[in-house]
Amino acid sequence: MIFADENIPLMEDSEFEDLRDFIYEYCGLFFEDDKRYILQKRLSRRIAVHQLQSFRDYLLYLQFDPNKEEELSELADLLTINETYFFREDYQLKAFIDEIVPEILVRKKDKVLRVWSAGCSTGEEPYTIAMLLHRALDNMGVGMDKWRIEILGSDISQRVLGVARRGVYGDTSFRAMNEDYMPYFEESGDGKKRAVEEIRQMVTFSNINLLDKTKMEFVKSMDVIFCRNVIIYFDNKAKRKVIESFYDKLSDKGYLLLGHSESLMNISAAFELKHLKNDMVYQRPSSKDVKAS
Ligand SMILES: C[S@@+](CC[C@H](N)C(=O)[O-])C[C@H]1O[C@@H](n2cnc3c(N)ncnc32)[C@H](O)[C@@H]1O
């Protein structure tokens, strides 16, 4: 084996091209030529773990090995950015809880509210949604028994989902959270805090690659989808694919909330841009309106 650096095997041109195409098709991330060294360095760890001889062998492992699903999750974990914290982008959360949720509570007769945090990383986003809903329903005098609240948190990486399911967090996760919400946590004994059971029970976690249509089939119809700071790393083609799936998964008049620097410009014209007091959000038009136009 030839080494490019101390412990990093050399990546041939054809290996780089084939691996980056494979990664792009798998999870939407595209490594430009100038990111080749990053890819080489990160994947070399997996080559060492499996004691493989080359990047070509690693690609074959990803494609054909009986354990390829586990390896794909490891790969996603190596390549993605998992930064997140409670109450991130609070003005948008304000729009959600003060404007979107009350509108849905009046409109929906089935008394089921489904919210999806797509690309939830270690779970701070879906637990934030759970705390907001728990408190808002309490304040409105709408008991949790009157409405069924279903929150789905999903991610491509199994590792982050493991952290999310445990629900134990250190200080950095709380950096934007108001003290008011601390009663939703208990000491976990290691200087960290764990979300209380009532909040943890409101969220179900699932391993979903947003580019995998077959996995999407299991997702129920959603009233609100949060997909923040996830597709920002994709090119337009991959973004379109994900947004089309979200459109299919949203209920009539359902809302799509993207990160603050993200928009559907050049991606989709199927949604309406709704100007709320606290934020601008996307809404799926009612199917009646779509048919009439
Ligand atoms: C920066 S975090 C965002 C977490 C949270 N939404 C927030 O805004 O704080 C991005 C997450 O998206 C996930 N992700 C990236 N590509 C994905 C894909 N194709 N399918 C599902 N999740 C993906 C990553 O694993 C990562 O945990």
Side-chain angles (χ1 to χ4, degrees):
M1 192 177 358
I2 303 167
F3 289 90
D5 205 338
E6 218 177 317
N7 289 313
I8 304 176
L10 189 74
M11 187 184 260
E12 305 282 350
D13 290 352
S14 65
E15 290 175 327
F16 171 61
E17 281 156 20
D18 292 349
L19 267 164
R20 81 160 165 198
D21 288 351
F22 178 85
I23 290 167
Y24 175 69
E25 287 303 322
Y26 169 57
C27 66
L29 297 175
F30 187 76
F31 283 79
E32 298 288 352
D33 290 350
D34 61 348
K35 299 280 182 328
R36 177 177 173 151
Y37 187 70
I38 298 177
L39 196 63
Q40 191 171 338
K41 199 168 169 196
R42 294 198 186 156
L43 299 192
S44 64
R45 292 182 222 155
R46 302 308 300 165
I47 291 190
V49 168
H50 295 297
Q51 300 181 331
L52 299 170
Q53 288 300 309
S54 66
F55 287 98
R56 176 68 55 197
D57 286 353
Y58 185 58
L59 178 58
L60 292 170
Y61 190 102
L62 289 169
Q63 288 170 315
F64 303 113
D65 194 88
N67 296 322
K68 67 178 186 180
E69 288 304 323
E70 282 149 53
E71 189 54 34
L72 285 167
S73 178
E74 294 284 349
L75 174 73
D77 200 43
L78 272 180
L79 303 179
T80 53
I81 292 167
N82 305 123
E83 162 75 358
T84 186
Y85 46 92
F86 293 110
F87 288 83
R88 187 175 192 175
E89 293 170 25
D90 63 336
Y91 61 92
Q92 191 176 50
L93 298 169
K94 206 166 156 38
F96 167 70
I97 208 65
D98 289 352
E99 300 179 75
I100 293 175
V101 170
E103 187 271 316
I104 294 174
L105 294 188
V106 170
R107 170 165 53 84
K108 279 198 83 188
K109 301 293 170 238
D110 61 359
K111 299 206 179 299
V112 182
L113 173 60
R114 289 200 190 93
V115 184
W116 180 12
S117 164
C120 68
S121 188
T122 39
E124 286 89 329
E125 184 175 88
Y127 287 137
T128 298
I129 295 166
M131 289 187 273
L132 284 167
L133 285 170
H134 190 280
R135 182 152 297 173
L137 293 187
D138 227 23
N139 289 345
M140 287 178 215
V142 183
M144 295 291 285
D145 51 327
K146 303 246 168 31
W147 271 75
R148 197 162 84 234
I149 308 291
E150 295 179 7
I151 302 168
L152 170 66
S154 73
D155 204 280
I156 194 171
S157 157
Q158 292 280 16
R159 184 191 63 81
V160 293
L161 289 172
V163 177
R165 288 189 182 102
R166 276 188 69 219
V168 176
Y169 299 97
D171 289 345
T172 53
S173 295
F174 294 97
R175 62 188 183 268
M177 193 177 97
N178 194 305
E179 280 288 312
D180 276 7
Y181 287 91
M182 268 310 173
Y184 286 116
F185 292 86
E186 57 201 8
E187 295 300 326
S188 66
D190 48 5
K192 295 185 173 183
K193 293 185 176 58
R194 185 173 203 200
V196 295
E197 197 180 352
E198 207 174 346
I199 291 300
R200 279 187 283 119
Q201 274 180 351
M202 290 173 71
V203 186
T204 307
F205 290 100
S206 183
N207 180 221
I208 299 174
N209 175 358
L210 296 174
L211 287 169
D212 184 348
K213 289 246 179 207
T214 52
K215 282 274 183 87
M216 294 280 206
E217 278 167 26
F218 299 101
V219 176
K220 291 182 189 164
S221 170
M222 293 287 158
D223 300 303
V224 184
I225 299 177
F226 283 82
C227 186
R228 309 189 301 169
N229 311 300
V230 180
I231 60 169
I232 192 170
Y233 304 106
F234 298 178
D235 72 350
N236 282 357
K237 187 172 155 225
K239 280 182 187 171
R240 273 185 208 114
K241 213 168 154 186
V242 174
I243 296 297
E244 264 172 34
S245 299
F246 287 161
Y247 187 89
D248 293 344
K249 285 296 155 195
L250 274 173
S251 56
D252 268 11
K253 295 190 166 236
Y255 293 87
L256 174 63
L257 275 59
L258 301 174
H260 75 281
S261 58
E262 302 170 79
S263 90
L264 293 185
M265 212 194 307
N266 299 326
I267 307 295
S268 170
F271 291 81
E272 284 168 5
L273 185 62
K274 202 164 171 181
H275 294 254
L276 302 178
K277 268 192 263 124
N278 294 288
D279 196 13
M280 285 191 296
V281 297
Y282 292 100
Q283 186 172 35
R284 183 190 153 129
S286 127
S287 45
K288 274 188 257 141
D289 298 344
V290 173
K291 274 183 209 134
S293 65

